[in-house]
Amino acid sequence: MTSNTWRLATGVGVIHVYDLMTFKRISFISSHDRDMLGMDYSHCGSMLASASRDRCVHMFTDDYTPSNTIADHSAAVTAVKFANRDHEFRLMSCGTDKSLYYYN
């Protein structure tokens, strides 16, 4: 994703990605079996993460290709957030199982 591209990801079970300059849908991703509760783009926009009631966190590359699935939570994942430390991606997730996971 280039720095001048503005995108919005939204959805309930299926992720819809829109280009905010043209308001056209540019991607449609079937990702979760249950409701999504959170999504976040990495700071440079090269990754997208989604969290769901299905206890999974899915990660996607900048062209919305699935890159990783994290299934460490034992209950719904309520939030997911990228952080940038020393130019490395860090991902945090928390869930209704009262756990917080931190991934490098």
Side-chain angles (χ1 to χ4, degrees), residues 51-63:
S52 172
R53 290 188 193 279
D54 65 5
R55 304 185 321 253
C56 293
V57 173
H58 292 301
M59 296 175 62
F60 305 92
T61 62
D62 61 348
D63 64 352

Side-chain angles (χ1 to χ4, degrees), residues 1-7 19-21 42-46 62:
M1 177 185 312
T2 60
S3 61
N4 61 358
T5 302
W6 291 76
R7 294 183 180 175
D19 181 324
L20 293 179
M21 301 302 285
S42 62
H43 293 350
C44 62
S46 62
D62 61 348

Side-chain angles (χ1 to χ4, degrees), residues 32-70:
H32 292 280
D33 295 333
R34 309 223 18 227
D35 296 339
M36 283 183 290
L37 301 175
M39 283 188 269
D40 192 33
Y41 277 105
S42 62
H43 293 350
C44 62
S46 62
M47 297 289 289
L48 172 68
S50 61
S52 172
R53 290 188 193 279
D54 65 5
R55 304 185 321 253
C56 293
V57 173
H58 292 301
M59 296 175 62
F60 305 92
T61 62
D62 61 348
D63 64 352
Y64 303 104
T65 303
S67 68
N68 198 7
T69 297
I70 301 167

Side-chain angles (χ1 to χ4, degrees), residues 59-93:
M59 296 175 62
F60 305 92
T61 62
D62 61 348
D63 64 352
Y64 303 104
T65 303
S67 68
N68 198 7
T69 297
I70 301 167
D72 292 336
H73 288 274
S74 61
V77 184
T78 55
V80 62
K81 181 71 178 164
F82 278 104
N84 185 4
R85 183 171 181 198
D86 301 327
H87 304 290
E88 291 184 20
F89 289 120
R90 312 291 174 144
L91 181 68
M92 296 168 280
S93 65

